[in-house]
Amino acid sequence: MTVSMLTAGIVLLHLLGVVAAMHAVMHTRTPQGAIGWAIGLLLLPYVTLLPYLYLGSSRFLGYRSGHKLRPAPLSPASTDGHAIDPGCTRFAAISALQGRPFRGGHQLRLLIDGVAAFDAMLAAMAAAENYLLVQFFIIHDDGLGRRLQQLLLQRASAGVRVCVLFDGIGSHALPQHYVDTLRAGGVAIHRFATHRWRNRLQLNFRNHRKIVVVDGVCAFVGGLNVGDEYLGLKPPLAPWRDTQLELRGPVVADLQQRFAEDWQWITGSLPPMLAPAPGTGEASALIVASGPADELETGSLFFTAAINAARERVWLSTPYFVPDHSVRAALQLAVLRGVDVRVLVPARPDHRTVFLASTLHAYHAVRTGIRMFRYQPGFLHQKALLIDHDSAAIGSMNLDSRSFRLNFEISALVVDPAFAGEVETMLTTDFSRARAIDEREYLDAPYLRRVAMHVARLFDPLL
């Protein structure tokens, strides 16, 4: 290679860096992110151009969600005629964000940890007569994964229409023969991927939703994926702490719609869907869906609005505590209002960088009066939120920028004193198995570890 060719290559890279920097300034969601990308692209384009190509986009283009931002005034009865809890009015902003009202008449079952959750989900799937809609972020070809595979093949052979989605990045280790076996047995199974050319190079976007719908009769949401570790069978993270929620009632239709949107994006067609069975319970619920195709930052706004609605307590359980400015401010304001704010996080890391950043955020949180706790028995993966005495949310949303902005997520917000009491009992047990975090955790850490925490925090927008 001649000197002139090398010079021309360097000039070209810098020109491309300038173009990419302008794109970053125009399209990056946060000023900090825009500054970081722009400086890197202008000064070191030969280092940052390729990462920007794969990680620089903050919008998932082309995807259309059925929920639109519009006013959602709450009345004593939801659109299906079931009475809704008056406490739902506190969450009118979240209802408007989803473009749909709370619905009443739900039966709920809180499923604690993997064995109880998968016993319930697999039993419900085994009873399917018309169709199964199944979506997970991760599916492994291990003991639990093969149990699911055999059940899906059995239902397909019985004439049940089975539709399965899994995330291409989360399930990167799933072998092709697992998928081929299901397809050969009549199961419609697809990898959720960027799919369209405008997103094709992006690695940021992931479908983190966990949804199971059986015949329009019952549905499940929560934090569990399909793998032996979620049953607590893989040290050193065992026992695995997680939570799933079974719902029966009108919002099953909303969960079907969310699955259908993802399915249509990948396949171009709609999955089978029946009207949900009439609700016979008393709980009011709203399905909260979020993703990088939303007009607003739905995930962050959901947590902010829910925390701002609290008057008595905010109890949070999350594996990753990397709050953005809005959520951090909402937690701090809740403390100043006299709200009992507690956050439960893991004592063991599954992702080192996120754990380091979470540790620094926990230190700053404790200094502002937020009570932080580390769960001791095993890895904590549950995503649970308890507001006051009557409201709780269970789903797939973590408290980090990835869930706020980059992942497709799903949760159920429930307003019902009885259900909130069950969540309170569950979290009280969890907190009893945790140790309080104080400032010494950060201050007593070796200097280089503290430096690593601050470096890890620089990657907050991607964590």
Side-chain angles (χ1 to χ4, degrees):
M1 180 182 294
T2 65
V3 174
S4 60
M5 291 177 60
L6 180 62
T7 302
I10 293 174
V11 170
L12 178 61
L13 282 173
H14 277 277
L15 288 174
L16 291 173
V18 170
V19 173
M22 289 189 291
H23 183 274
V25 169
M26 293 291 292
H27 296 286
T28 304
R29 292 198 188 206
T30 65
Q32 298 90 335
I35 291 172
W37 278 120
I39 291 175
L41 290 165
L42 289 173
L43 298 181
L44 295 169
Y46 18 86
V47 174
T48 52
L49 267 173
L50 191 61
Y52 185 72
L53 183 65
Y54 284 95
L55 303 173
S57 180
S58 59
R59 289 288 182 190
F60 193 84
L61 303 173
Y63 183 98
R64 291 292 180 265
S65 173
H67 69 281
K68 300 293 183 183
L69 184 67
R70 60 180 180 267
L74 300 178
S75 61
S78 59
T79 54
D80 48 37
H82 293 286
I84 63 169
D85 193 294
C88 295
T89 57
R90 304 189 338 271
F91 304 109
I94 299 174
S95 178
L97 186 66
Q98 292 297 302
R100 63 186 64 239
F102 275 85
R103 302 179 190 269
H106 294 93
Q107 291 177 293
L108 308 169
R109 181 161 53 143
L110 192 65
L111 301 167
I112 300 175
D113 288 331
V115 173
F118 277 103
D119 282 350
M121 286 191 285
L122 294 176
M125 285 187 256
E129 297 179 351
N130 296 296
Y131 62 86
L132 278 174
L133 310 179
V134 179
Q135 180 172 7
F136 287 100
F137 177 59
I138 296 171
I139 298 177
H140 286 316
D141 183 22
D142 56 13
L144 180 59
R146 287 187 284 274
R147 281 174 60 193
L148 175 66
Q149 183 187 53
Q150 290 305 307
L151 189 152
L152 296 177
L153 289 170
Q154 290 168 9
R155 299 323 298 151
S157 68
V160 175
R161 294 186 63 186
V162 183
C163 299
V164 180
L165 279 176
F166 62 96
D167 185 77
I169 296 177
S171 301
H172 65 276
L174 187 67
Q176 186 60 38
H177 67 76
Y178 183 101
V179 176
D180 292 341
T181 299
L182 285 170
R183 285 184 179 150
V187 175
I189 179 169
H190 294 278
R191 184 186 312 268
F192 187 94
T194 53
H195 190 64
R196 309 288 172 82
W197 69 270
R198 285 180 291 180
N199 302 300
R200 186 168 297 279
L201 295 175
Q202 292 303 311
L203 299 177
N204 262 343
F205 306 125
R206 297 161 199 183
N207 199 314
H208 195 241
R209 293 171 179 170
K210 293 91 175 172
I211 301 173
V212 174
V213 179
V214 181
D215 291 340
V217 174
C218 69
F220 300 84
V221 295
L224 288 155
N225 291 297
V226 180
D228 286 348
E229 64 266 38
Y230 296 89
L231 299 177
L233 299 178
K234 287 190 175 180
L237 297 180
W240 190 279
R241 178 71 190 88
D242 223 323
T243 300
Q244 208 83 352
L245 174 62
E246 179 183 350
L247 307 101
R248 294 173 182 264
V251 296
V252 172
D254 298 330
L255 284 166
Q256 290 187 151
Q257 181 182 341
R258 296 295 173 248
F259 180 94
E261 289 167 358
D262 291 344
W263 186 262
Q264 188 173 30
W265 166 258
I266 293 300
T267 68
S269 62
L270 290 172
M273 292 187 292
L274 295 173
T280 59
E282 298 182 355
S284 301
L286 174 71
I287 297 303
V288 180
S290 65
D294 294 353
E295 295 177 7
L296 302 177
E297 293 182 348
T298 308
S300 176
L301 289 173
F302 162 67
F303 278 106
T304 301
I307 295 164
N308 284 337
R311 293 297 176 265
E312 301 164 13
R313 67 181 168 194
V314 173
W315 290 4
L316 264 166
S317 176
T318 178
Y320 315 119
F321 183 68
V322 190
D324 63 6
H325 176 76
S326 297
V327 174
R328 184 167 58 250
L331 291 170
Q332 292 171 356
L333 286 170
V335 170
L336 294 174
R337 291 197 305 272
V339 174
D340 175 16
V341 180
R342 308 183 194 181
V343 180
L344 185 66
V345 296
R348 307 181 195 179
D350 68 331
H351 298 295
R352 293 285 178 182
T353 303
V354 185
F355 190 81
L356 287 168
S358 294
T359 301
L360 182 58
H361 281 285
Y363 166 68
H364 291 305
V366 168
R367 295 184 68 195
T368 61
I370 299 168
R371 300 172 65 190
M372 301 288 303
F373 298 84
R374 289 206 184 277
Y375 184 74
Q376 297 298 302
F379 182 65
L380 177 87
H381 190 253
Q382 75 169 338
K383 304 92 165 55
L385 171 64
L386 180 64
I387 301 292
D388 296 343
H389 69 284
D390 64 346
S391 306
I394 303 293
S396 67
M397 294 186 193
N398 298 314
L399 207 75
D400 59 15
S401 290
R402 174 157 293 284
S403 277
F404 293 164
R405 299 176 179 89
L406 299 175
N407 287 349
F408 291 89
E409 303 281 5
I410 197 85
S411 291
L413 173 60
V414 176
V415 180
D416 178 63
F419 179 72
E422 292 182 46
V423 176
E424 176 187 10
T425 299
M426 176 184 74
L427 291 179
T428 298
T429 300
D430 290 336
F431 281 117
S432 73
R433 297 171 177 168
R435 64 168 178 81
I437 300 174
D438 59 24
E439 295 181 27
R440 303 311 311 177
E441 180 182 81
Y442 170 82
L443 296 175
D444 291 345
Y447 176 74
L448 290 180
R449 180 173 175 79
R450 281 182 278 140
V451 170
M453 293 179 199
H454 287 268
V455 171
R457 188 179 179 181
L458 297 176
F459 295 92
D460 276 6
L462 298 176
L463 298 180

